[in-house]
Structures are given as C-alpha cells and as structure tokens.
Amino acid sequence: MKTSLGLLEVSGLALAIGAADAMAKAASVALIGIEKTNGSGWMLIRLTGDVASVQAAINTGAAFAERHHGLVSSAVLARPADALMAHWQAPKIEPMAAEPTTLSQPAHEVVVAAVMTEISADEETEAEEAETPPPANSATDDAPEIALGVAIMDLDVARQSAESEAPPAPRVSCNLCLDPACRRHKGEPRFRCIHLGKRGKI
C-alpha cells in the first residue's frame, strides 16, 4: 500500500504541538515533522500513513485547530510523488563501522605500563596522606560555642518562667470608663456604666 501524506497548517507553535498530539492519538500515523512557514507564526505539521488513517488524523487535527481559532489550511495527498516524499523524508544515516584498534606495542607491555601507573598513583596518595597533619581537637575548639549556647538557653528559660509568673492583665469590658470592675460591656447602654454620673467631675 502506498503511503499518503497529510499536511496541516495552523497558527502558533503551541497549537501545532497540541494538534500533532491529537492527530497521533486519533489514528495510526507517523509524524514527519513540524516546521515554521513564512510569516504570521504559521506552523506546518506533516504526517504519513495509509490513506484512511491520514484522513482521520487530518480531520481530527483540523477540528482541534478550528476549536482554538488557529486553522489555516489542511490537505491530504493520497498518492504523493516519490520526489515529494524524498524531499521531506529524513536522510538515513549509515552507521559507521568500528575499525579494529591496533596496538603499536605488544599487549603485555601495555598492561604492565597501566599497572605501574596505578601503583605510582597509589604511592603518591599514601605519601600525601602521611604528610597531612592530624585534625585539631574539635572538642576544645567548640567549647566556647557550647558554653554560649548553654547560656542562651538558660536566659530563655528564665525569661519564660518570668512571663509565666506575671499576673494576668485585668480584663476591661466597658469602653467608656475602662474600669475592670464595671459591669457594662461594649455595645450596651451607657446607663449600665458605674461611672456614668462621675465622668467629667473632680
């Protein structure tokens, strides 16, 4: 069966990706590519497959683009020319054959040289470790910091205990006289205030 070619042109890259996703899910087609056309941010989606699958995919993509107000044009070529398909097909890259490597030295000499290099590197590492001085005693170095931390914790405990021992502030209910003993609450009539006749007098 000859492969057919489907083309869908939409406005915008995001819409092109969404339409390509919808088309790939709608039918068994192969997406050749998405490319930018000249001007206005139009994008061209190319796909191949059998005629029915390509037609179904293009219809789905066109409906998707139409819903998002970005459809420019669409086309299905049932039997495209071979030259046209060759123009858009990705070039096939031939795998490179690995050439066998040849050693200028015999194999046993190469192995011996590699082992000697590793041994010399290990000896240098051991010599550097022997030259480095032992680390300082961290317990004596951290002693002032520990003492400072303990002092700060003691101050926090003392402050919290002082706050807990402080008497609670009296609850004021009357907003006219601000006397905790007054039985009036905010919003109640003024005559309930015990200082009603005393305000403004000496």
Side-chain angles (χ1 to χ4, degrees), residues 50-75:
D50 60 276
V51 179
S53 298
V54 170
Q55 186 66 50
I58 290 295
N59 290 341
T60 303
F64 181 86
E66 186 68 31
R67 280 196 310 270
H68 293 85
H69 309 290
L71 178 64
V72 177
S73 66
S74 63

Side-chain angles (χ1 to χ4, degrees), residues 6-189:
L7 303 171
L8 180 68
E9 195 168 16
V10 297
S11 177
L13 178 61
L15 183 59
I17 293 172
D21 179 61
M23 289 190 293
K25 291 175 181 175
S28 177
V29 292
L31 183 67
I32 298 177
I34 301 174
E35 68 180 25
K36 183 179 179 184
T37 59
N38 291 332
S40 302
W42 291 353
M43 306 296 292
L44 177 66
I45 307 166
R46 301 186 314 268
L47 49 92
T48 59
D50 60 276
V51 179
S53 298
V54 170
Q55 186 66 50
I58 290 295
N59 290 341
T60 303
F64 181 86
E66 186 68 31
R67 280 196 310 270
H68 293 85
H69 309 290
L71 178 64
V72 177
S73 66
S74 63
V76 175
L77 303 177
R79 297 173 61 86
D82 293 335
L84 182 63
M85 291 300 292
H87 173 70
W88 271 328
Q89 292 291 343
K92 294 182 180 178
I93 300 173
E94 296 293 332
M96 295 179 60
E99 297 180 0
T101 57
T102 57
L103 297 175
S104 59
Q105 300 177 355
H108 67 278
E109 291 181 8
V110 174
V111 173
V112 169
V115 170
M116 293 302 293
T117 305
E118 291 179 4
I119 291 173
S120 61
D122 291 341
E123 290 176 354
E124 290 177 3
T125 305
E126 291 175 359
E128 290 176 0
E129 290 176 355
E131 291 175 0
T132 55
N137 189 1
S138 59
T140 57
D141 293 343
D142 295 340
E145 295 178 3
I146 294 172
L148 180 62
V150 170
I152 291 173
M153 289 174 56
D154 291 342
L155 287 174
D156 289 342
V157 170
R159 181 174 53 82
Q160 289 175 358
S161 63
E163 289 176 356
S164 62
E165 292 173 0
R171 185 170 178 271
V172 177
S173 61
C174 180
N175 62 335
L176 298 176
C177 64
L178 302 178
D179 187 0
C182 184
R183 66 180 185 274
R184 179 186 175 274
H185 294 282
K186 182 178 179 180
E188 292 183 349

